[in-house]
Amino acid sequence: MGIFETHAHYLKEDFGDDLIPLLESMPSLGVEKIIAVGYDLRSSAEEIELAHRFEYIRAAAGVHPENCYELPTDWVKQLEAMLADEKVCALGEIGLDYHYDNTDKAVQAEVFERQLELARRLSLPVIIHSRDACEDTMNILKKHKPRGVLHCFSGSAETAAEVVKLGMYIGFTGVLTFKNAKKALAACEAVPLDRLLLETDCPYMAPVPHRGKRCDSSMIQFTAAKMAEIKGVSTEEMIDIARQNAERLFGV
């Protein structure tokens, strides 16, 4: 089917002994490309290792806002070394997350902006995470104007339109298939076809009819079908459009 999965987490801690057989099966299940995304220095290194093992996988390296509080003093240097790897196509995932009460917004913003500056210097696209932090995320994006994607989008249709005006892409997960997904559906409807990306964020948020199970990239077809319904195209067309968008953004 030519699926380009733009955001997946394939770590041994989540998949155990299933990890390698599962990834070996992906091409036969219609998955043509995967971006395996890190959320700290350790997971980024693990995803890069997987990308070298599988030709069809690329990696993204970055520090997630929830993992930004106890970084080594040379973390930027370590991250930059990872980003120089030939199999790395993006810096991510990075951003802001205010979901928990113990959030230090100043530390998150500093780590976020330092990574945006690094991405600009290295001419890399970024993968942005934003949860319960819409206003601050948008202010920082407007300041830096990065090339990239707001992944696992959970904002309003109005925010989606702002993101597109910045020249960025928007990724949707299996949340589109959930019964209570009115906000996500409205946001997806507001995004032009040439700015949409498909993702799972696996092992999380498996789409209906697999909701509640461990997710993997083969399940993206259900999100694609729902997205196609929203945009008035066939599932095959939607998969093809999203693949072309991802190839254009990530250069792979």
Side-chain angles (χ1 to χ4, degrees):
M1 290 182 287
I3 290 170
F4 192 144
E5 153 79 285
T6 60
H7 197 109
H9 302 285
Y10 282 114
L11 300 170
K12 186 76 172 178
E13 65 197 58
D14 296 314
F15 289 88
D17 293 339
D18 293 344
L19 180 60
I20 299 306
L22 180 65
L23 291 174
E24 287 174 341
S25 73
M26 283 296 137
S28 68
L29 297 173
V31 180
E32 185 175 296
K33 296 174 184 176
I34 291 175
I35 297 179
V37 182
Y39 52 75
D40 60 13
L41 298 176
R42 178 194 59 80
S43 61
S44 294
E46 192 172 331
E47 301 291 26
I48 293 170
E49 185 180 339
L50 270 184
H52 278 279
R53 183 163 181 172
F54 293 92
E55 191 280 331
Y56 75 98
I57 296 179
R58 297 294 186 274
V63 177
H64 186 285
E66 291 181 1
N67 301 93
C68 72
Y69 301 119
E70 297 182 0
L71 293 169
T73 55
D74 67 341
W75 71 271
V76 175
K77 184 178 180 180
Q78 288 190 49
L79 179 58
E80 184 169 357
M82 291 183 191
L83 294 169
D85 192 287
E86 62 181 3
K87 292 288 285 192
V88 173
C89 66
L91 199 165
E93 64 183 288
I94 64 176
L96 301 175
D97 193 318
Y98 296 169
H99 185 69
Y100 298 104
D101 293 337
N102 62 347
T103 295
D104 188 326
K105 296 180 180 181
V107 171
Q108 287 197 12
E110 179 186 0
V111 172
F112 185 20
E113 293 201 68
R114 288 187 72 180
Q115 290 181 99
L116 288 173
E117 290 162 0
L118 180 60
R120 177 179 291 276
R121 180 158 60 84
L122 299 177
S123 299
L124 283 171
V126 292
I127 298 171
I128 306 296
H129 168 101
S130 179
R131 182 165 64 157
D132 299 338
C134 180
E135 183 177 358
D136 287 353
T137 299
M138 291 306 300
N139 286 339
I140 289 174
L141 293 179
K142 288 173 182 176
K143 174 183 174 182
H144 290 270
K145 297 181 174 59
R147 180 169 56 96
V149 54
L150 209 62
H151 106 94
C152 191
F153 189 74
S154 60
S156 66
E158 292 76 17
T159 300
E162 286 188 62
V163 173
V164 171
K165 283 182 182 178
L166 288 173
M168 299 183 72
Y169 294 75
I170 294 181
F172 288 96
T173 66
V175 169
L176 278 183
T177 68
F178 297 177
K179 288 182 179 179
N180 60 348
K182 291 181 180 179
K183 189 176 180 181
L185 296 178
C188 183
E189 189 172 1
V191 179
L193 276 169
D194 67 353
R195 291 290 158 174
L196 286 167
L197 299 180
L198 286 165
E199 59 172 281
T200 60
D201 203 16
C202 74
Y204 316 109
M205 291 184 292
V208 176
H210 298 288
R211 188 173 184 183
K213 299 178 182 178
R214 186 187 70 186
C215 188
D216 67 63
S217 299
S218 68
M219 297 179 187
I220 215 167
Q221 60 185 297
F222 300 103
T223 304
K226 187 63 181 181
M227 187 181 284
E229 178 187 323
I230 296 165
K231 305 307 289 185
V233 298
S234 70
T235 300
E236 292 76 13
E237 286 176 303
M238 191 67 251
I239 288 172
D240 188 53
I241 290 167
R243 184 183 69 253
Q244 291 179 45
N245 294 344
E247 290 171 345
R248 185 166 61 249
L249 174 60
F250 295 111
V252 297

